[in-house]
Amino acid sequence: DTGVSQNPRHKITKRGQNVTFRCDPISEHNRLYWYRQTLGQGPEFLTYFQNEAQLEKSRLLSDRFSAERPKGSFSTLEIQRTEQGDSAMYLCASSFNREGYTFGSGTRLTVV
Amino acid sequence: KNEVEQSPQNLTAQEGEFITINCSYSVGISALHWLQQHPGGGIVSLFMLSSGKKKHGRLIATINIQEKHSSLHITASHPRDSAVYICAVYMNYGGSQGNLIFGKGTKLSVKP
């Protein structure tokens, strides 16, 4: 499978717990993006990496959110002290510069 | 006001009908994506275009940069075309060049 892979597919957590999601992009892609999507809305940009450098972060990304791409390959998105408002689909995408933009299937987070 | 507006929000069609979904944006862009999202599924990029027209099978996408408008057409629609269609743009200024700005999507339902 050469697509973008996200794990886990679903995550249910209690409020206040920390969660971490993983994204494995297409191996040739230098750019990796994280988005959040709530029901009935389009995806909202969170952050993106070019290789291992985090080049842009949305103001949506509070200090409880952190993302890494340590070797310029896979990336992790961690949410600390989860809140019910964090419940959403978290989407990862990758591209080579702006070409071949490919999304993963997403991780659905439910905070109870 | 959203920077990317789509119309209609919801669309129901009979199998075989010609369908048009519209996207208008208020910012300068360098390229525009049309994306397809099935319920519970990930997002698939249908087209990326910066001028003119592209065609793939029964799908046609057009863009008019001067009018800041794009359309997605589906000819001979089929129930399997039922999905949410999302317009997303790459801005061409400042630090937002790395990410897409999304519309809220158009939910299409094609009845047999």
Side-chain angles (χ1 to χ4, degrees):
Chain A
D1 185 4
T2 58
V4 176
S5 176
Q6 290 190 247
N7 288 288
R9 291 293 305 272
H10 303 274
K11 178 71 176 178
I12 300 174
T13 190
K14 291 184 178 179
R15 190 173 51 186
Q17 297 293 306
N18 299 344
V19 294
T20 300
F21 311 140
R22 176 177 170 127
C23 172
D24 287 88
I26 291 174
S27 57
E28 303 83 24
H29 284 181
N30 57 349
R31 291 189 178 183
L32 185 148
Y33 313 81
W34 284 100
Y35 294 91
R36 181 173 67 188
Q37 186 179 27
T38 53
L39 199 62
Q41 301 294 316
E44 295 174 300
F45 170 74
L46 294 178
T47 189
Y48 99 98
F49 294 83
Q50 179 146 319
N51 301 312
E52 67 275 8
Q54 189 174 18
L55 293 189
E56 191 171 350
K57 291 170 61 173
S58 165
R59 62 181 180 276
L60 293 174
L61 213 66
S62 76
D63 57 6
R64 295 186 299 106
F65 287 69
S66 62
E68 294 182 342
R69 194 184 184 198
K71 298 181 180 179
S73 57
F74 74 91
S75 175
T76 57
L77 177 68
E78 181 182 17
I79 309 174
Q80 296 181 326
R81 305 181 303 281
T82 52
E83 302 172 356
Q84 286 188 320
D86 297 331
S87 296
M89 175 76 86
Y90 289 84
L91 293 162
C92 176
S94 71
S95 67
F96 183 77
N97 296 328
R98 289 186 172 184
E99 299 298 322
Y101 213 102
T102 304
F103 282 85
S105 296
T107 294
R108 182 168 296 284
L109 173 66
T110 302
V111 181
V112 297
Chain B
K1 186 179 180 345
N2 290 333
E3 291 158 318
V4 180
E5 296 277 358
Q6 287 186 236
S7 63
Q9 288 187 325
N10 293 282
L11 180 56
T12 300
Q14 287 298 126
E15 183 173 357
E17 286 185 0
F18 180 85
I19 288 164
T20 296
I21 299 170
N22 295 299
C23 175
S24 297
Y25 48 92
S26 57
V27 294
I29 72 165
S30 57
L32 179 146
H33 271 274
W34 280 104
L35 308 162
Q36 180 191 58
Q37 186 173 33
H38 284 278
I43 296 175
V44 175
S45 177
L46 300 174
F47 298 103
M48 185 174 78
L49 64 166
S50 54
S51 66
K53 176 180 173 179
K54 286 189 176 180
K55 185 176 189 293
H56 181 68
R58 294 181 295 105
L59 302 178
I60 303 167
T62 63
I63 188 169
N64 185 319
I65 294 291
Q66 288 74 26
E67 294 186 3
K68 296 186 175 178
H69 181 269
S70 176
S71 293
L72 176 68
H73 306 285
I74 305 175
T75 61
S77 59
H78 190 276
R80 65 175 175 267
D81 297 325
S82 298
V84 175
Y85 292 85
I86 303 171
C87 171
V89 301
Y90 278 114
M91 292 185 175
N92 64 0
Y93 67 89
S96 296
Q97 293 182 28
N99 58 286
L100 292 172
I101 308 298
F102 294 80
K104 292 186 176 182
T106 295
K107 185 175 182 180
L108 171 65
S109 178
V110 182
K111 305 295 185 186

